[in-house]
């Protein structure tokens, strides 16, 4: 486990959000893992500058899911959170990250509902264009 | 006219020069000249004729004068022949001379050359030489009329012969002094002919003008017709061309659409290829979706790395300072805790210096204490920086890759959209192609093409025709300008013609009236003389001169007596009556020279003639044979005879001469 995001080996989402994760990951074969989707969600939240509190927190996946030989979301997200929240401890950083992801997944759900699938190109456009508000 | 004298030189039987005085007085107009046959009577008359006219007796051709030269004289190497007639006419003395001189040598007549004769008689009037002797003589006694005055008795009867009527007519005209009127008539006639010619020319010109006008009208009609046809065919051609254009456009569209099938094939292939590319691009995008978070957080990462770097540098700077301060801290601690003197000045620190040292130690102690934390943070920051840099690299490449892919996919989508649209449109257009209509259009195009060619050919012919007609019209206009006739000119010439025609008519009428009058007078005079001369006074009523100037006798019953029914003598009497009547009617007092006129006449006729002779003219020279007149008959003339001559041929001298008897 990386020291950037604390000592926990799992990252959590809200119960409601988990359904979304399950649905979308099932729907899209090219989405490799929940962790990947989590990274999307967290990126959206960070890009939007918006977080949502987790209600009915459940563990989604293990932290190692954020870092594979194809991608390293842990470093990416960890570095960004560390910069945005320099005073936060690693565990706090994870918490913050989860909140960013919580916001982000709700937006992804909206996207999904609109397009009935993830249009990755559209997703990129939306994620890079829109700024959200903190909940 | 009264012949005064005749001088003959070397003429026929008259060798040498002989002069005869023929002057008469008013009461005795007759000169009798006796002579045997061959004495030279005829030659005498001929000499006068030759002198005046260069010809001999009536009916003879103009013989070569040389034949008249006395034969004896002609034998010489040089000779001349001359006749001079002196006469009085209208109070003036006329001298008429004609001569012939032989110059040169030669044995034959046709090699001889002469002068004189050919130039006509030499005429002087009261001493004034006339320029043209022929004209002068003709003005006194025209040649044709002369034969009524100088004649052979045997020849008299020719006046009664049908074949001579034209000659008789001309002679009558001359005797009756008609030439002036006739000449005027001829001049007028000539003028009329000239005017008529002029008018004809103008009329011809006018006719030509009228023809040209008619032609122009015809051409204009033709032109109008052709122009109408040209217009009609042009319209038809335009219609056909328009129809053809529409069909051509449709066919072009069909062909274009049919060409589009190939394009469509290409398009589909392209579409397929684009779709493959799109799939591939999407695949690539798919592989790039791993790095979507990198793309999204690219800027954030960049910012973070930069921040970490800065902070670390700050911390490391702090650490460096802290490290350098440690030695001072250790020294101060040693001084304060161990009570050591200052290394600089060696003085023991006082309270004040102790307080200062304590605060410094506190400050430096915090720094030393923080050094460890700083190293830790620096280390952490370094780790963040490094991981951030890696993430940044990933993010940068991902960002680029995804940007490229996005652009590629967008482009491909656009192309695919455009290709699909084009394909849909083409397919839609192709569905609109009706093969039957297409075939029908092709057939119509062929048919219309044929019609168009025919119309075009017809139009070309008509245009050619129109151009030819226009050219013809231009030519005619040019001709019209040339032949335009001034109406005034026509009117003037017509007036002139009318005037000339009127004058001619008047003169003709005048002449006709005069001739009629003269004819009547001639008839009257002739009839009177006939009654004097003939012994058939109970039978013969009068002389009639018909329109052809044939002379006839009309009996008491009004019947025409055919000339063939008259004896030779009666014909002679008739002729003499006519000549007498003519002489009376003309008022001409030209002399009569008659050569033996009594040949076929009986005594009664002869005597009647003798009685009448002195009334014939102011001068009558009668040539008779010695046996022609007996004493009684001579006595009839006695009181009217001025002179009596005899023509004698001297055989010794081989020459004739005339001697005066009384």
């Amino acid at each position: 486990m990386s020291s950037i995001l604390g000592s926990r080996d799992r990252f959590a989402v809200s119960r409601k959000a988990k359904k979304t994760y399950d649905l979308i990951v099932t729907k899209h074969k090219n989405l490799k893992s929940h962790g990947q989707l989590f990274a999307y969600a967290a990126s959206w939240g960070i890009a939007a500058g918006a977080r949502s509190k987790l209600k009915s927190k459940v563990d989604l996946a293990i932290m190692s899911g954020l870092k594979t030989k194809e991608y390293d979301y842990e470093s990416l997200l960890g570095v960004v959170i560390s910069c945005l929240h320099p005073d936060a401890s690693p565990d706090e950083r994870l918490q913050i990250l989860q909140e960013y992801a919580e916001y982000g997944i709700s937006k992804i759900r909206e996207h999904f509902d609109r397009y009935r699938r993830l249009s990755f190109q559209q997703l990129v456009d939306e994620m890079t264009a829109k700024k959200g508000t903190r909940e | 006219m009264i012949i005064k004298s005749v001088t003959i030189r070397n003429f026929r039987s008259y060798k040498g020069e002989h002069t005869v005085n023929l002057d008469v007085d008013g009461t005795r107009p007759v000169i009798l000249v006796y002579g045997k046959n061959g004495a030279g009577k005829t030659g005498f008359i001929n000499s006068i004729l030759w002198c005046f006219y260069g010809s001999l007796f009536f009916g003879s051709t103009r013989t070569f004068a040389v034949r008249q030269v006395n034969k004896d004289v002609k034998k010489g190497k040089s000779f001349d022949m001359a006749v001079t007639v002196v006469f009085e006419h209208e109070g003036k003395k006329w001298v008429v001379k004609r001569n012939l001189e032989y110059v040169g040598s030669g044995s034959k007549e046709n090699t001889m050359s002469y002068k004189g004769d050919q130039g006509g008689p030499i005429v002087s009037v009261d001493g004034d030489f006339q320029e043209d002797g022929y004209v002068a003589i003709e003005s006194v006694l025209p040649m044709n009329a002369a034969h009524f005055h100088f004649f052979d008795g045997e020849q008299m009867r020719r006046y009664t012969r049908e074949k001579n009527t034209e000659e008789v007519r001309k002679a009558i005209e001359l005797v009756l002094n008609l030439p002036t009127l006739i000449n005027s008539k001829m001049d007028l006639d000539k003028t009329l002919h000239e005017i008529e010619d002029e008018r004809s020319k103008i009329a011809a010109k006018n006719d030509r003008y009228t023809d040209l006008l008619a032609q122009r009208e015809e051409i204009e009609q033709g032109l109008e017709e052709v122009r109408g046809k040209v217009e009609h065919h042009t319209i038809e051609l335009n219609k056909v061309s328009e129809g053809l254009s529409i069909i051509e456009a449709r066919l072009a569209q069909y062909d274009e659409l049919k060409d589009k099938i190939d394009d469509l094939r290409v398009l589909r292939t392209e579409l397929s290829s684009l779709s493959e590319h799109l799939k591939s691009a999407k695949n690539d995008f798919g592989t790039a979706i791993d790095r979507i978070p990198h793309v999204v957080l690219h800027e954030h990462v960049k910012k973070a790395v930069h921040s970490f770097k800065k902070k670390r540098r700050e911390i490391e700077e702090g650490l460096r300072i802290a490290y350098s301060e440690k030695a001072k801290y250790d020294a101060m601690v040693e001084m304060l805790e161990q009570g050591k003197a200052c290394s600089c000045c060696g003085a023991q620190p006082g309270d004040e210096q102790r307080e200062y040292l304590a605060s410094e130690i506190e400050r430096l102690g915090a720094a030393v204490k923080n050094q460890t934390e700083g190293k830790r943070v620096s280390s952490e920051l370094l780790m963040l920086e490094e991981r951030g840099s890696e993430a940044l690299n990933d993010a940068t490449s991902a960002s680029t890759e995804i940007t490229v892919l996005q652009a590629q996919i967008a482009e491909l989508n656009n192309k695919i959209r455009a290709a699909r649209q084009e394909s849909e449109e083409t397919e839609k257009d192709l569905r609109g192609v009706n093969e039957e209509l297409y075939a029908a259009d092709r057939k119509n195009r062929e048919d219309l093409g044929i019609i168009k060619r025919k119309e075009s050919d017809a139009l070309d012919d008509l245009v050619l025709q129109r151009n030819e007609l226009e050219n013809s019209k231009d030519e005619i206009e040019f001709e019209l300008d040339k032949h335009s006739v001034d109406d005034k000119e026509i009117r003037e010439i017509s007036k002139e013609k009318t005037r000339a025609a009127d004058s001619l008519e008047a003169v003709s009428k005048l002449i006709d009236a005069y001739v009629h009058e003269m004819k009547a007078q001639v008839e009257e005079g002739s009839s009177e003389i006939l009654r004097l001369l003939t012994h058939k006074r109970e039978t013969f009523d009068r002389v009639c001169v018909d329109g052809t100037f044939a002379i006839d006798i009309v009996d008491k019953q009004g019947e025409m007596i055919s000339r063939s029914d008259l004896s030779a003598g009666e014909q002679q009497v008739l002729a003499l009556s006519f000549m007498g009547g003519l002489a009376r009617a003309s008022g001409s007092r030209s002399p009569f020279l008659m050569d033996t006129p009594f040949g076929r006449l009986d005594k009664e006729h002869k005597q009647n003639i003798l009685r009448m002779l002195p009334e014939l003219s102011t001068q009558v020279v009668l040539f008779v044979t010695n046996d022609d007149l007996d004493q009684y008959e001579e006595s009839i003339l006695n009181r009217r005879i001025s002179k009596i001559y005899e023509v004698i041929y001297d055989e010794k001298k081989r020459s004739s001469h005339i001697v005066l008897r009384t």
Side-chain angles (χ1 to χ4, degrees), chain A residues 2 32 36 40 73 75 121, chain B residues 289-290 293 301 387 406 409:
Chain A
S2 164
K32 293 182 177 69
Q36 195 171 38
Y40 282 17
Y73 297 134
S75 298
Q121 289 150 263
Chain B
I289 62 171
D290 292 346
V301 171
R387 288 177 82 171
Q406 274 183 319
I409 288 169

Side-chain angles (χ1 to χ4, degrees), chain B residues 259-523:
Chain B
D259 289 341
K260 278 190 178 179
I261 290 173
D262 293 331
D263 293 342
L264 197 58
R265 265 188 226 113
V266 170
L267 206 58
R268 282 182 182 149
T269 307
E270 198 181 308
L271 206 57
S272 176
S273 169
L274 284 173
S275 297
E276 287 299 316
H277 282 124
L278 185 64
K279 207 189 253 182
S280 168
K282 281 185 174 172
N283 281 341
D284 291 343
F285 197 90
T287 58
I289 62 171
D290 292 346
R291 307 219 248 150
I292 285 175
H294 294 78
V295 171
V296 174
L297 297 177
H298 182 221
E299 288 301 311
H300 288 85
V301 171
K302 199 192 282 185
K303 195 174 162 186
V305 166
H306 178 73
S307 167
F308 294 152
K309 196 179 275 186
K310 187 179 171 189
K311 271 188 186 170
R312 187 172 60 82
R313 281 194 189 128
E314 281 173 2
I315 290 171
E316 282 178 1
E317 179 65 19
L319 284 173
R320 191 183 57 74
I321 294 170
Y323 184 75
S324 72
E325 294 290 310
K326 187 172 182 302
K328 201 188 275 186
Y329 172 75
D330 287 340
M332 283 186 181
V333 165
E334 212 176 274
M335 277 179 70
L336 190 63
E337 286 177 353
Q338 295 173 15
K340 284 188 175 176
C342 175
S343 61
C344 302
C345 62
Q348 289 286 325
D351 290 332
E352 199 177 315
Q353 283 91 10
R354 286 183 181 273
E355 272 184 42
Y356 174 72
L357 279 170
S359 69
E360 284 295 301
I361 288 167
E362 191 180 341
R363 187 178 65 80
L364 289 171
V368 169
K369 197 178 181 177
N370 285 338
Q371 195 177 12
T372 307
E373 181 63 16
K375 277 183 184 173
R376 190 193 61 78
V377 170
S378 175
S379 173
E380 192 177 326
L381 282 171
L382 182 64
M383 183 268 299
L384 284 171
E385 192 182 319
E386 284 170 356
R387 288 177 82 171
S389 292
E390 280 173 23
L392 185 60
N393 287 340
D394 286 345
T396 303
S397 72
S399 185
T400 305
E401 192 181 330
I402 284 179
T403 302
V404 166
L405 279 171
Q406 274 183 319
Q408 203 174 358
I409 288 169
E411 191 188 333
L412 284 167
N413 276 328
N414 286 339
K415 281 185 179 175
I416 288 168
R417 220 178 355 261
R420 278 206 184 118
Q421 193 176 355
E422 198 178 327
S423 176
E424 278 167 17
E425 283 172 5
T426 302
E427 282 179 1
K428 188 180 167 189
D429 290 341
L430 283 171
R431 278 195 294 277
V433 173
N434 186 327
E435 286 296 330
E436 280 179 9
L437 278 177
Y438 180 70
D441 275 346
R442 286 187 72 173
K443 177 75 174 56
N444 284 339
R445 179 175 65 178
E446 234 175 270
D447 294 340
L448 283 176
I450 293 168
I451 293 171
K452 185 179 175 183
R453 274 194 296 280
K454 281 184 183 169
E455 283 289 336
S456 185
D457 288 344
L459 191 61
D460 287 344
D461 288 341
L462 285 168
V463 166
L464 198 65
Q465 205 176 337
R466 183 194 67 191
N467 291 344
E468 282 174 2
L469 284 171
E470 281 172 353
N471 285 341
S472 298
K473 189 182 167 189
D474 288 341
E475 284 172 9
I476 284 175
E477 293 285 359
F478 180 68
E479 285 293 314
L480 278 168
D481 284 341
K482 275 169 56 178
H483 288 90
S484 66
V485 172
D486 191 351
D487 282 347
K488 190 179 168 189
E489 198 181 349
I490 294 176
R491 284 199 298 274
E492 288 297 325
I493 198 81
S494 295
K495 272 188 195 170
E496 215 175 308
K497 187 196 166 186
T498 306
R499 277 199 292 271
D502 289 344
S503 299
L504 183 63
E505 195 183 338
V507 169
S508 296
K509 279 185 181 170
L510 183 66
I511 291 172
D512 288 344
Y514 183 70
V515 168
H516 180 75
E517 176 63 24
M518 288 296 108
K519 195 162 78 70
Q521 286 184 19
V522 168
E523 281 179 347

